[in-house]
Amino acid sequence: MISIEEALQIVQAQEFEPAIIDKDLQSSLGHCLAEAITAPFDLPDFDNSAMDGYALCGNHQTYRIIGEVAAGDTSTHRLQDEEAIRIFTGGRIPENTTSVVMQEKTEVAGEQLTIDSTVSSGQNIRPKGGELRAGQKVFSPGHQITPASIGLIGSLGKPSVKVFKKPSIHLITTGNELITSGTERKIGQIYESNSLAIISALNQFGLECQGNQQIEDDFELIKTGISNYLNQTDVLLLSGGISVGDYDYVKAALEENGVQEIFYKVFQKPGKPLYFGRKDNTFVFALPGNPASSLTCFYIHVLPLLLKISGSQKPGLTKVLVPLAHDYELKGDRPAFLKAHIENHQVTILDGQSSSMIYSLAMGNALACISTPQKFKAGNMIECALIS
Ligand code: AMP
Ligand code: MG
């Protein structure tokens, strides 16, 4: 059995060269950049008005209005002292403009403009290069593209970006007791839910599951299911059947398919029977079937691999140090990921820590990462991984 740190290091050390593809900017959300993005020009690249109002020349009480500049107007205007020009937000600032006064602070009578208050030099002018300078580095390779990133890259006039291809992912859930939600259930059966949670967690991080199959606890069927997915995927995830029960066939079925075990069993709670293996360029994680175990193992161990092979710079979930809201004792000897809720800058460890219980995970927003079981006091700082 290996430690959590060893497991994380082993996963991090895996070599994998994600393919680089050109992606239309609009469909690049969630991809990681494979190129650096640099501003090709100043942003904005001309002085422009931050307000609907009047561009003024000099510092006076009254001005003569000589014309108008709307947003998108490409003509050049020039002001003389005591002249003003009607201007709208985004409009190009005329030469010799001292400042822009907002229209709410003005009165107009024919060609004459009177202003209510003094306007300081440069006021309400968005200067050329005020946001970005030409040549300025905007994103490094590995940046995961967000809606705002897309807006920014679009404003730099770039219609497409070089990104790392997202990994293909397949999922097999195993268990005789599992039936699909919406179908009639007999006593002894349960609704299969791990695939729903895991696929949603993939989606949460901008990834998709290309195929998903439910297989009963049958060695041959599991072996064939693995074989069908193995050659067409970057990452194969399995849930259930990886522990020591008589019907736990996943490990043997992986071996029969030539998957090399990299580790099996991690000294942690929940999720001790976690399996990680590889066949050529396909990575395999077999997650314990208990719902809270499988999702916790996904967040803590699978996500870092997925981020790495997606070309991301991020190591995994965002972690924060938060004071404990109450006294808490973690018993046992294993490091633990506890279902927890952060609110008002403190963390509460939730009831229902059993690995079978998804309710408490659904009520929480974090996993409290406790490396040494011990008694904690309210106010002790706890490392928490944010799950939502
Ligand atoms: P296993 O890891 O196969 O021994 O399963 C451990 C526990 O998790 C059992 O109570 C299973 O019924 C439950 N379980 C396994 N797979 C799933 C699944 N896909 N959805 C919901 N519960 C599951
Ligand atoms: Mg099972």
Side-chain angles (χ1 to χ4, degrees):
M1 190 144 36
I2 62 170
S3 68
I4 296 166
E5 291 68 33
E6 285 171 301
L8 294 173
Q9 276 165 17
I10 289 169
V11 166
Q12 215 37 251
Q14 296 302 310
E15 285 182 12
F16 184 87
E17 288 287 325
I20 295 174
I21 52 171
D22 276 312
K23 200 85 192 162
D24 167 56
L25 183 62
Q26 186 66 89
S27 44
S28 68
L29 184 67
H31 280 84
C32 294
L33 281 172
E35 61 174 332
I37 303 288
T38 304
F41 47 75
D42 285 340
L43 194 71
D45 82 335
F46 56 93
D47 292 347
N48 68 89
S49 178
M51 292 285 170
D52 293 322
Y54 294 85
L56 311 173
C57 184
N59 201 345
H60 309 282
Q61 214 56 51
T62 59
Y63 298 83
R64 189 169 68 86
I65 302 168
I66 61 156
E68 180 184 291
V69 184
D73 194 338
T74 55
S75 55
T76 309
H77 296 267
R78 191 183 175 84
L79 293 175
Q80 308 286 347
D81 193 35
E82 290 187 72
E83 284 181 349
I85 208 161
R86 180 78 169 119
I87 197 163
F88 299 94
T89 306
R92 184 175 170 196
I93 297 288
E95 285 177 40
N96 280 338
T97 297
T98 311
S99 58
V100 170
V101 60
M102 61 200 290
Q103 67 188 44
E104 292 85 340
K105 294 188 174 167
T106 64
E107 273 167 41
V108 177
E111 278 191 351
Q112 181 169 302
L113 174 78
T114 306
I115 63 171
D116 295 354
S117 55
T118 51
V119 194
S120 54
S121 180
Q123 198 171 327
N124 299 326
I125 296 175
R126 300 191 287 219
K128 174 176 160 68
E131 189 170 357
L132 285 175
R133 284 283 179 200
Q136 190 175 331
K137 174 84 133 332
V138 178
F139 294 122
S140 302
H143 168 78
Q144 192 173 20
I145 299 174
T146 63
S149 319
I150 291 180
L152 175 57
I153 296 169
S155 73
L156 299 176
K158 218 171 145 46
S160 66
V161 278
K162 284 196 187 328
V163 295
F164 293 109
K165 195 164 177 280
K166 289 186 187 180
S168 60
I169 302 165
H170 288 76
L171 171 64
I172 294 173
T173 51
T174 67
N176 284 342
E177 72 282 27
L178 305 174
I179 57 164
T180 307
S181 60
T183 59
E184 207 182 314
R185 183 172 53 89
K186 300 196 181 82
I187 297 289
Q189 297 180 317
I190 62 166
Y191 288 120
E192 193 286 306
S193 61
N194 287 352
S195 68
L196 301 167
I198 290 167
I199 293 170
S200 304
L202 290 170
N203 298 161
Q204 185 186 352
F205 292 93
L207 298 165
E208 268 153 45
C209 182
Q210 274 72 31
N212 151 34
Q213 200 191 350
Q214 158 59 29
I215 306 180
E216 55 201 73
D217 293 313
D218 177 298
F219 177 73
E220 288 302 327
L221 290 179
I222 294 174
K223 194 177 113 184
T224 309
I226 291 171
S227 148
N228 287 342
Y229 277 156
L230 212 48
N231 297 329
Q232 48 162 324
T233 195
D234 295 319
V235 181
L236 174 59
L237 303 176
L238 294 110
S239 131
I242 190 64
S243 194
V244 293
D246 288 353
Y247 297 93
D248 290 341
Y249 296 123
V250 167
K251 191 165 175 295
L254 287 167
E255 277 161 17
E256 283 279 310
N257 272 291
V259 177
Q260 297 276 306
E261 176 186 317
I262 301 177
F263 63 72
Y264 175 50
K265 292 195 175 165
V266 180
F267 192 60
Q268 63 181 5
K269 197 175 176 188
K272 190 168 84 170
L274 176 67
Y275 170 102
F276 179 54
R278 183 171 183 167
K279 185 179 182 188
D280 304 321
N281 268 340
T282 300
F283 297 99
V284 179
F285 271 105
L287 310 169
N290 272 311
S293 291
S294 79
L295 197 51
T296 301
C297 284
F298 174 87
Y299 281 130
I300 301 295
H301 296 281
V302 180
L303 183 64
L305 177 88
L306 296 175
L307 291 173
K308 185 186 158 91
I309 68 173
S310 303
S312 173
Q313 299 292 327
K314 280 196 197 147
L317 293 177
T318 301
K319 289 192 170 172
V320 289
L321 271 180
V322 189
L324 197 54
H326 52 87
D327 292 354
Y328 185 79
E329 181 176 8
L330 176 63
K331 299 205 175 99
D333 58 352
R334 275 181 280 163
F337 301 105
L338 300 173
K339 300 158 206 172
H341 191 73
I342 300 175
E343 202 174 326
N344 297 329
H345 310 291
Q346 46 183 15
V347 59
T348 300
I349 309 296
L350 300 172
D351 289 340
Q353 290 296 332
S354 162
S355 58
S356 63
M357 294 179 179
I358 192 83
Y359 174 75
S360 40
L361 197 50
M363 292 301 124
N365 55 14
L367 291 167
C369 310
I370 313 265
S371 52
T372 314
Q374 58 187 285
K375 282 186 179 168
F376 292 94
K377 288 268 167 223
N380 285 167
M381 298 304 278
I382 303 287
E383 186 179 61
C384 296
L386 306 180
I387 60 169
S388 65

